[in-house]
Amino acid sequence: MSDFSTLKESSLHSTLKKIYAYQNNGQTEVELNNHIYDIVTKENEIIEIQNQNLNHLLPKIKDTIEKGMKIKVVHPVIVTKHIELYDKDKNLIKRTKSPVKGCIYSIFKELKGIYPVLLEKSFTLEVPFITITEIRIQEDLPVQSENKLRRFKRNWNKQNKKLNEILESRTFKCGEDYLSLLPSELPQEFYSKDLEKELKEAKMPARIYKNANLILWVFHKMKLIELTKTEKRRKYYKIKQT
């Protein structure tokens, strides 16, 4: 696929799909049970590659599980992103490195949309940590993005994303896998500021530790932690015993 592809599926998604199909001896773009799946293995297990908007997958995941099939969702975290800016004649103008780095806690923004299935026995979440190159095309004037989500117009548009490398991956199947993300230094009863403090001390970016409330919300919805008390509008939790 060309770096300047205009298809909805980016090179990033396409490459990840090919890699996981090869690793799992699967076929891509399989129509089954009124769905088109990214990958179906010979053992009839489903693999879906989803870079963002995991909530859009929820009905598909639920239906797949209800039909007695196993499903794995692969949701990559971008830890390094290089940006290549081209003119309209496809000449490279400059190459830069984005200061934004993803980490494992980046997934919680997406997990809030699929928390009802995270602990289903037939469900697995795999998080590969990747490096990518984002292709941008310079425009003559500031423009809105194709998805209309920009707050401010820019003088470039995204054209494609390419996978550079898969560094490692992390798999989540059970409650213990998710709870391992809670810092061990948390007190027995904790609230969002406790988690924020530990994440800040662990050198997490501000956008991560300032979302401590969201992380606890997901854990509470998953019934992995339970509310113990509310004091001065602070909600205190503890890890739920199984």
Side-chain angles (χ1 to χ4, degrees), residues 169-187:
S169 64
R170 190 158 176 175
T171 301
F172 297 85
K173 268 194 77 68
C174 62
E176 287 77 10
D177 295 332
Y178 292 96
L179 285 172
S180 68
L181 297 177
L182 287 178
S184 58
E185 295 81 5
L186 280 177

Side-chain angles (χ1 to χ4, degrees), residues 215-231:
I215 295 172
L216 295 183
W217 183 90
V218 172
F219 277 128
H220 190 232
K221 285 292 186 180
M222 293 172 69
K223 297 181 170 55
L224 293 175
I225 61 175
E226 57 187 351
L227 183 67
T228 57
K229 62 184 178 184
T230 302
E231 289 183 356

Side-chain angles (χ1 to χ4, degrees), residues 86-100:
Y86 291 82
D87 63 23
K88 291 185 178 180
D89 294 323
K90 302 181 182 179
N91 299 307
L92 179 64
I93 298 172
K94 64 178 178 179
R95 189 172 193 264
T96 57
K97 185 178 179 181
S98 171
V100 179

Side-chain angles (χ1 to χ4, degrees), residues 20-50:
Y20 276 86
Y22 175 78
Q23 290 177 343
N24 294 274
N25 198 15
Q27 289 186 307
T28 61
E29 297 298 313
V30 178
E31 187 171 355
L32 182 65
N33 295 331
N34 297 318
H35 297 293
I36 296 178
Y37 292 111
D38 283 340
I39 303 165
V40 178
T41 72
K42 285 192 173 181
E43 290 74 30
N44 229 30
E45 294 183 4
I46 306 302
I47 301 175
E48 285 287 305
I49 314 293
Q50 193 80 357

Side-chain angles (χ1 to χ4, degrees), residues 12 77-82 128-133 162-167:
L12 171 60
V77 167
I78 300 169
V79 295
T80 303
K81 178 169 74 173
H82 289 94
F129 299 93
I130 65 173
T131 67
I132 72 163
T133 296
K162 301 187 299 177
L163 176 68
N164 294 335
E165 187 179 7
I166 298 176
L167 302 173

